[in-house]
Amino acid sequence: MGEGDASRAPIQTVGGRCACGCWFPWRRGGLAASMEPGLVGPGPYRATRLWNEIIELFRAGMPLRKHRCRFKSYERCFKASEAVDCLHELLGSNQNFGPEVTRSQTVKLLKKFLKNHVIEDIKGRWGKEDFQDDGHLYRFPPSSPLKPYPKKPSFGKEVIKFPDWNDPKAGTSQERIPVKSIMMNSEMWYKRHSIAIGEVPACKLVFRRELTQENIEEIWKTMTLSRLQKVLGLDCLDEVIDTKLVNSKHIVQNAYNVNKQGIVTLEDKSKDLPHWILSAMKCLANWPICSDLKQPTYSGFERDVFKTIVDYFGQMKEPLLTFNFFDVFVSVLGLLQKHSEAIEALQISCLLLPPENRRKLQLLVRMMARISFNKDLPPLSESVRTRVLMVQAFSRCILCSKDEMDLDELLAAKLVSFLMDNYQEILSVPSALKSSIEEHVVHVQRVQIKYAGADTDVTFPAPSFCHQISTDEFEYQRATGSQEPLAALLEEIATNKEISVKDKKKKLKQKCLFLVDIWIFAETKVTELRAE
């Protein structure tokens, strides 16, 4: 099949529309230069959006010609090898995937195209047929191959409740707290009278309960998810992550249970990597120093060690980034062109992982990066570059979906490549987030004053207390209590050596007029209150 072309007519200019509706014209051979679809950003169903976009671009850009096969001519078809050439060029020039996409990965994607009836062989067969990089003839079916967006049930917005700060501690009574007498100066007197004349709204003290470890963990979860949502630029996280599955204990453990190298330490050692795997990983990461391995080396020893590591991680039932977080990591891939935002989003996303997964990821990616840059390590493959081998060998054990996704291999390769290049930043605890959470925890434990109608609390460094007094005591304070601040105010002006006598007389006159106005205002208010 696929003996040769019956016609070598010039290829006509073709074009197509991408998922966003833009028209892209190109000629075969100039595909990469003329086709520049935009980056598919973060958000729900990103994998499906990418799948549909690639199909549309491939259908629009794949040249169709007349071919002969076994003495018969077929119109508007293409060879398998031509499809690989075209799709490989398309993926390499597409900023959602990039030039690191291999020809082998392209063949695997075309196998999925055939399985999903994006293409069919020249006799109309698809599904169970096997696609190879050869001269077999294929064509596009007349029906639309685009996938509908899945009707994923909404996880529902989880509102994480903080402790009720407005309730005082059990056994705490404001009446039992003694009121400390203070000497008032003019500044303090002004502050008190500004409240009396209505310049500052009514307020009440808010006693904080002592935060439990559970309260602190919930604060970590709330603020971490809030920051992730902001970095991704989403209205909510519902479509990319089920927040109920985020374990607040894991976040706190990942933030604080770390060694000097920033690697997570586990309380349950049974969840750690086996000693023999750790020794093998250290051997390749630190090659040619293999002090942990007692057996002598031989030709091909390093390849056997590498195969042992690959086999161990390949038999895991779930990827290190877990099935639950697949969508959120795929969504983060939409930020890779914004380097700092992508780093922060991955920092936070990796903080959500179970501690044992995060530790294994840290050790594995660090080993992969060191192997890739180690010029002293002999080649681990005859045909594949070491960096490409690292991505191919470990992508699936790092990221894959529970249900088979059509682009999960390409997406995983893209993420793993970025992880290898930036693992020290990505797999460290985000310092800005940690500081803001710690400051918030300290803030909410302070005694605070809440003003009526205010949305925020105002923290006073030295809290004072008040209690209700009797009518007789109020009348006494009203008649005599103002004498002390009046005297303090006038005394301050009179004894100020930096003010001339003329200015002192002027200020005393102004202050007296001001105090008379306040006194009249206060008397009026008292009269009104009594009338009520």
Side-chain angles (χ1 to χ4, degrees):
M1 185 179 285
E3 306 296 339
D5 297 344
S7 173
R8 296 286 183 179
I11 302 170
Q12 299 298 317
T13 301
V14 293
R17 295 187 183 276
C18 73
C20 63
C22 299
W23 179 264
F24 295 100
W26 59 82
R27 290 182 183 270
R28 185 72 181 97
L31 182 61
S34 57
M35 180 182 55
E36 297 180 355
L39 183 73
V40 177
Y45 318 123
R46 185 173 185 270
T48 303
R49 285 185 285 149
L50 284 170
W51 170 265
N52 287 343
E53 181 183 80
I54 291 299
I55 290 174
E56 287 183 327
L57 293 173
F58 177 59
R59 282 173 63 95
M62 182 67 224
L64 306 178
R65 295 194 292 263
K66 180 192 291 187
H67 287 77
R68 286 183 61 84
C69 177
R70 295 182 181 179
F71 309 105
K72 188 175 180 179
S73 295
Y74 297 92
E75 299 286 345
R76 299 182 59 79
C77 57
F78 51 87
K79 290 182 181 180
S81 58
E82 294 174 342
V84 177
D85 291 339
C86 177
L87 186 58
H88 187 214
E89 185 180 358
L90 187 155
L91 293 171
S93 63
N94 190 300
Q95 52 190 322
N96 295 293
F97 300 99
E100 291 191 345
V101 176
T102 64
R103 191 173 182 88
S104 175
Q105 290 173 328
T106 305
V107 172
K108 290 181 180 179
L109 181 55
L110 282 164
K111 288 178 182 285
K112 294 182 178 181
F113 278 5
L114 184 60
K115 182 179 179 180
N116 289 274
H117 206 192
V118 176
I119 60 176
E120 62 185 18
D121 77 2
I122 204 64
K123 295 183 179 180
R125 295 174 299 191
W126 59 279
K128 296 182 179 180
E129 301 300 313
D130 190 22
F131 184 94
Q132 300 294 332
D133 189 357
D134 56 21
H136 279 62
L137 296 181
Y138 292 89
R139 66 190 181 192
F140 292 120
S143 59
S144 173
L146 301 185
K147 286 190 174 183
Y149 293 108
K151 296 181 179 180
K152 183 184 295 185
S154 176
F155 298 128
K157 294 182 180 180
E158 181 188 7
V159 180
I160 302 174
K161 295 182 178 180
F162 286 88
D164 188 355
W165 307 124
N166 294 322
D167 295 338
K169 280 185 179 180
T172 302
S173 173
Q174 294 189 13
E175 285 77 5
R176 297 178 185 175
I177 300 175
V179 178
K180 181 180 178 181
S181 59
I182 54 175
M183 293 297 294
M184 297 185 67
N185 56 28
S186 58
E187 183 180 357
M188 296 178 66
W189 186 86
Y190 278 134
K191 287 182 179 179
R192 291 204 171 185
H193 274 266
S194 65
I195 296 175
I197 63 176
E199 292 179 4
V200 178
C203 61
K204 67 174 180 178
L205 286 175
V206 179
F207 290 89
R208 302 301 200 188
R209 289 177 177 171
E210 183 177 353
L211 292 180
T212 64
Q213 181 63 24
E214 183 179 357
N215 297 148
I216 294 175
E217 290 168 355
E218 289 303 300
I219 291 174
W220 265 90
K221 177 178 177 178
T222 304
M223 295 186 67
T224 300
L225 292 178
S226 176
R227 183 58 190 169
L228 178 60
Q229 177 180 321
K230 183 176 181 180
V231 175
L232 292 177
L234 303 178
D235 293 331
C236 69
L237 293 174
D238 290 354
E239 298 294 349
V240 297
I241 188 173
D242 185 352
T243 56
K244 293 180 181 178
L245 299 178
V246 176
N247 191 319
S248 57
K249 292 182 181 294
H250 291 169
I251 303 175
V252 175
Q253 290 175 15
N254 289 334
Y256 291 104
N257 294 7
V258 296
N259 60 20
K260 293 180 180 179
Q261 290 74 39
I263 306 295
V264 173
T265 58
L266 302 178
E267 298 176 358
D268 185 355
K269 300 302 181 182
S270 66
K271 295 181 178 180
D272 201 354
L273 290 168
H275 177 71
W276 54 275
I277 284 293
L278 284 171
S279 297
M281 294 173 69
K282 288 180 182 178
C283 174
L284 293 186
N286 301 316
W287 187 275
I289 303 172
C290 302
S291 57
D292 284 355
L293 295 178
K294 303 294 179 63
Q295 64 268 41
T297 60
Y298 52 85
S299 178
F301 169 76
E302 66 284 345
R303 295 189 182 186
D304 288 343
V305 174
F306 179 69
K307 186 178 184 302
T308 300
I309 299 170
V310 172
D311 290 343
Y312 174 82
F313 282 98
Q315 53 80 37
M316 295 190 307
K317 296 181 179 179
E318 187 175 25
L320 295 177
L321 299 184
T322 78
F323 293 135
N324 293 330
F325 298 146
F326 175 81
D327 287 334
V328 73
F329 280 102
V330 170
S331 191
V332 171
L333 284 172
L335 291 174
L336 291 191
Q337 284 195 328
K338 302 176 180 179
H339 185 82
S340 59
E341 286 89 342
I343 294 292
E344 184 179 4
L346 285 173
Q347 276 185 329
I348 298 173
S349 300
C350 290
L351 204 61
L352 308 180
L353 298 173
E356 58 271 20
N357 287 46
R358 181 177 171 87
R359 175 176 170 81
K360 292 175 183 177
L361 181 68
Q362 288 173 315
L363 295 173
L364 177 60
V365 176
R366 185 175 67 170
M367 181 204 74
M368 293 166 61
R370 289 184 177 182
I371 289 176
S372 297
F373 293 106
N374 189 348
K375 296 181 180 179
D376 296 326
L377 182 67
L380 297 174
S381 171
E382 296 290 347
S383 58
V384 182
R385 290 186 298 111
T386 301
R387 177 184 172 87
V388 176
L389 180 63
M390 294 298 106
V391 175
Q392 290 179 350
F394 296 110
S395 287
R396 188 164 183 81
C397 74
I398 292 177
L399 179 70
C400 69
S401 61
K402 189 173 184 179
D403 303 319
E404 183 180 354
M405 295 289 291
D406 299 307
L407 294 174
D408 57 356
E409 184 175 346
L410 291 178
L411 295 172
K414 185 77 172 178
L415 178 65
V416 171
S417 295
F418 192 77
L419 272 174
M420 288 174 58
D421 292 336
N422 304 277
Y423 76 95
Q424 290 181 321
E425 288 181 272
I426 292 172
L427 296 177
S428 63
V429 179
S431 56
L433 176 66
K434 184 179 179 182
S435 298
S436 64
I437 293 175
E438 290 175 345
E439 290 173 3
H440 181 74
V441 170
V442 171
H443 169 77
V444 297
Q445 293 184 92
R446 297 188 183 124
V447 175
Q448 300 184 355
I449 291 183
K450 184 181 285 292
Y451 291 99
D455 294 329
T456 57
D457 297 338
V458 177
T459 304
F460 278 56
S464 58
F465 307 95
C466 58
H467 59 89
Q468 188 175 1
I469 60 176
S470 64
T471 305
D472 294 336
E473 188 172 357
F474 168 75
E475 292 293 341
Y476 172 79
Q477 290 185 8
R478 185 175 67 86
T480 62
S482 59
Q483 295 178 5
E484 181 180 347
L486 284 172
L489 175 63
L490 299 176
E491 181 67 16
E492 181 181 358
I493 296 174
T495 57
N496 193 332
K497 296 181 180 180
E498 297 179 1
I499 304 176
S500 64
V501 176
K502 182 179 179 180
D503 289 336
K504 286 181 181 180
K505 291 180 179 180
K506 184 178 179 181
K507 285 183 176 291
L508 287 172
K509 182 177 180 181
Q510 291 175 343
K511 299 302 180 184
C512 288
L513 291 174
F514 174 71
L515 294 174
V516 169
D517 290 339
I518 293 178
W519 183 266
I520 294 172
F521 178 84
E523 288 290 322
T524 304
K525 288 294 183 181
V526 170
T527 303
E528 291 176 355
L529 290 172
R530 285 175 175 172
E532 292 177 357

